[in-house]
Amino acid sequence: MKVEDFWQGFLKEAGLDSSTKYYESFYFANEEWADILLGLVLEGTKTATCGCKPSYEAEGEELPSVGGYSIVTDFSGVPHCVIRVTSVTILPFKEVTWDMAKLEGEDEVLQTWQDGHRHFFELEGDEYGFTFTDDTPVVFEEFEVVYRA
């Protein structure tokens, strides 16, 4: 199914105006993790995500906002669900707590969450021309699934 058809199906079922826009259609992380993280979202284990603020800026991308919708796809671009943002917190990476990090559903302890995200954000920094440190601001986003395939 195409993303636009999926979106129109959601709007119809939710009773929303057909002019309602979504923030983005995306898959999580990269080829290795996209479908795994999608599975965690669909089972209700993953209810948050975290992005590096300088990456948003480098791409000229607007930050997510509370109430905004996004379409989550698998790595091949097939839409599986619509999520609605319930909270956005911008803070230095080092201030992300375990209570926050565990909402991502990926790790058993804060240290492994930090290690994995630090590595990912350092790679983004290399790609976009910034140096990631523990003081770099991140965008921590909580969401709920409001529609699924």
Side-chain angles (χ1 to χ4, degrees):
M1 172 178 282
K2 293 182 181 179
V3 168
E4 282 306 316
D5 294 335
F6 188 79
W7 179 245
Q8 291 304 317
F10 162 67
L11 294 178
K12 184 176 181 180
E13 185 172 301
L16 296 172
D17 187 89
S18 62
S19 65
T20 303
K21 303 293 182 205
Y22 58 91
Y23 171 68
E24 67 180 335
S25 172
F26 74 100
Y27 57 84
F28 287 100
N30 53 33
E31 185 174 7
E32 178 184 0
W33 281 96
D35 294 349
I36 294 167
L37 298 178
L38 170 63
L40 293 175
V41 169
L42 294 174
E43 70 184 30
T45 302
K46 181 174 180 62
T47 59
T49 192
C50 186
C52 192
K53 190 169 184 272
S55 297
Y56 286 90
E57 295 163 352
E59 292 183 350
E61 194 173 319
E62 195 175 309
L63 295 177
S65 60
V66 172
Y69 297 103
S70 290
I71 300 167
V72 183
T73 71
D74 59 25
F75 185 74
S76 64
V78 176
H80 287 266
C81 64
V82 174
I83 58 173
R84 186 178 69 81
V85 177
T86 59
S87 172
V88 176
T89 305
I90 299 173
L91 71 168
F93 177 79
K94 67 184 178 188
E95 292 181 18
V96 174
T97 67
W98 174 237
D99 283 341
M100 296 169 75
K102 69 183 174 185
L103 297 175
E104 287 203 56
E106 302 164 30
D107 296 279
E108 298 297 322
V109 296
L110 182 59
Q111 186 64 51
T112 58
W113 182 91
Q114 289 171 330
D115 292 347
H117 282 72
R118 186 178 290 113
H119 175 73
F120 187 79
F121 294 154
E122 286 171 349
L123 292 175
E124 282 190 336
D126 292 344
E127 180 180 346
Y128 293 118
F130 65 87
T131 300
F132 178 81
T133 71
D134 284 356
D135 291 314
T136 301
V138 295
V139 181
F140 191 85
E141 177 183 347
E142 294 178 57
F143 58 82
E144 62 183 349
V145 174
V146 294
Y147 182 73
R148 52 181 74 230

